[in-house]
Amino acid sequence: MGALFATEGINGQVIVYSRYCPFKPIKIAVIGAGNVGASTAYSLMLDGLAAEIVIIDVNHAKAEGEAMDITHAVPLSPSGQTRVYAGGYRDLYDAAVVVVTAGVNQKPGQTRLDLVHANAAIYRTIIPEVAHHAPRTVLLIATNPVDVCTYLAYKLSGFPAHRVLGSGTVLDSARLQTELGAMFDVNPASVHAFVVGEHGDSEVVPWSLASIQGMRLPEFCRGADLPYDADALRAAAARTRTAAYEIIKRKGATDFAIAAALTSIVRAVVRSEDSLLTVSRVGSYAGVDDVCLSVPARVNSKGARTISTLVLEPDEEEALRNSALRIKEAIESLGDLLQT
Ligand code: NAD
């Protein structure tokens, strides 16, 4: 089914209604037209989620080029009809979701936390504009270090915590599912396992909560007559954690999987799915207050809220606490940049 539900001419304008919401034309904004922003706008268009996608970049010509290129794919796409264009902050006024991908990316060997000061300075120019022009939108942050940038966006926007989401470990969880799906020879979507904490080097895999077929991994292995190989699982977690470094070493950036992760989060908001996703949000975790990291949260049109505290093994709780403290330290290093 295409995205087009109804059109009507108002002052010569054609309004296209999303296939997910036939009563209201949905607009999504993507700020930053680089690798991540362009791939995300393309993925959103293919998904048919929105009637309009506006792309904003300090390099307006780049935003225009990406919008033109994506527009030429619309007639060839299953989404049917989406208006994709380069715009400015004034275009945000009715955006359901604003996805922020603007900022510098990692160079080979750099960690995500190395980007914190450069991207904080960029956020100080972007987030107040978004808050001014789209005061009721859901903000979705992708810029790295994503947990720190999500915290900063929360502070600079003045939005309630549930309306400021980071892509967090949604991507890392998909990478882990991919690893485990290959290891156990099942579709990755049938593996219930996720990553919590920082989207970065201190991220944590809570193995005690991982399951296949409703069974924890040791029981699943026993039932399947497979050896339970803790070393192989640790190696899978390490490959999950270092995947971005390996991809950046080879192609200079990561973009397709993060675009799919952002699209899945936008979809959960626009369709008010109540899906449990490991988005990053501000809260108290593992005894650390006023920090931002990922645990499963319910995502719907109002944003994201955690609905139940994770019950972890003591070593997992300790690892989550260390991750929270590391993010907290990076947040505190911003000093005056946090002031509105
Ligand atoms: P890129 O350099 O290709 O694109 C960044 C874009 O931001 C550029 O087009 C630039 O012009 C734009 N920009 C810079 N300052 C701006 C401003 N003030 N206003 C508007 N636009 C501005 O980088 P990329 O590869 O697209 O990565 C973007 C960010 O996403 C990086 O921080 C990267 O680390 C992050 N990222 C996050 C994840 C995740 O899982 N959250 C995954 C991949 C990349």
Side-chain angles (χ1 to χ4, degrees):
M1 196 193 320
L4 183 62
F5 248 89
T7 60
E8 58 185 47
I10 298 178
N11 299 332
Q13 267 195 320
V14 175
I15 298 184
V16 184
Y17 296 87
S18 161
R19 66 176 152 136
Y20 296 127
C21 183
F23 309 112
K24 190 169 174 280
I26 305 268
K27 181 196 280 186
I28 297 164
V30 178
I31 303 182
N35 302 301
V36 177
S39 295
T40 301
Y42 183 57
S43 168
L44 289 167
M45 183 282 289
L46 289 179
D47 211 75
L49 271 173
E52 276 185 45
I53 298 169
V54 56
I55 305 175
I56 299 171
D57 197 292
V58 71
N59 180 349
H60 188 70
K62 175 80 160 76
E64 279 182 329
E66 298 294 358
M68 289 161 72
D69 200 5
I70 296 170
T71 296
H72 298 157
V74 170
L76 304 168
S77 74
S79 74
Q81 192 170 346
T82 309
R83 183 173 168 238
V84 186
Y85 58 99
Y89 288 107
R90 281 169 196 275
D91 294 302
L92 297 183
Y93 70 97
D94 56 350
V97 185
V98 176
V99 187
V100 190
T101 74
V104 294
N105 59 10
Q106 291 166 265
K107 303 293 170 278
Q110 264 189 321
T111 72
R112 295 173 179 92
L113 287 175
D114 289 338
L115 310 174
V116 70
H117 285 89
N119 285 340
I122 290 172
Y123 265 44
R124 289 187 66 80
T125 69
I126 293 174
I127 302 300
E129 292 280 2
V130 176
H132 177 69
H133 290 282
R136 285 182 295 281
T137 198
V138 171
L139 250 176
L140 174 54
I141 304 301
T143 309
N144 275 321
V146 73
D147 304 293
V148 182
C149 288
T150 304
Y151 185 90
L152 185 58
Y154 158 73
K155 280 283 177 192
L156 297 177
S157 65
F159 286 7
H162 65 267
R163 267 205 289 130
V164 187
L165 289 58
S167 58
T169 55
V170 173
L171 170 56
D172 313 71
S173 298
R175 285 174 173 154
L176 181 67
Q177 286 178 297
T178 305
E179 287 283 345
L180 298 183
M183 189 181 288
F184 293 111
D185 208 12
V186 293
N187 187 315
S190 298
V191 177
H192 295 279
F194 53 84
V195 177
V196 297
E198 181 196 1
H199 167 61
D201 299 344
S202 70
E203 67 186 35
V204 180
V205 177
W207 290 115
S208 66
L209 303 179
S211 67
I212 301 176
Q213 213 175 269
M215 296 148 91
R216 289 186 176 189
L217 298 184
E219 284 79 47
F220 175 81
C221 287
R222 205 172 312 131
D225 213 10
L226 293 169
Y228 178 77
D229 187 343
D231 286 341
L233 291 175
R234 268 192 292 276
R239 283 193 297 276
T240 299
R241 190 171 58 246
T242 57
Y245 295 110
E246 293 300 323
I247 297 167
I248 289 168
K249 207 157 57 179
R250 290 165 174 82
K251 65 172 263 193
T254 65
D255 55 352
F256 294 127
I258 178 61
L262 290 165
T263 300
S264 72
I265 301 166
V266 172
R267 193 186 305 123
V269 173
V270 168
R271 298 177 65 180
S272 210
E273 283 180 343
D274 290 330
S275 293
L276 291 175
L277 300 173
T278 51
V279 291
S280 186
R281 67 186 291 280
V282 176
S284 298
Y285 304 98
V288 181
D289 294 332
D290 197 31
V291 69
C292 191
L293 54 71
S294 295
V295 294
R298 181 174 59 199
V299 181
N300 58 29
S301 61
K302 297 192 181 89
R305 285 185 196 274
T306 47
I307 52 173
S308 178
T309 304
L310 281 184
V311 179
L312 298 171
E313 293 294 323
D315 59 326
E316 295 166 346
E317 182 78 11
E318 185 58 23
L320 183 61
R321 183 175 166 77
N322 286 339
S323 190
L325 288 171
R326 179 181 148 102
I327 297 164
K328 181 101 177 166
E329 193 183 328
I331 290 171
E332 285 172 352
S333 80
L334 291 177
D336 286 350
L337 291 171
L338 288 167
Q339 302 305 318
T340 48

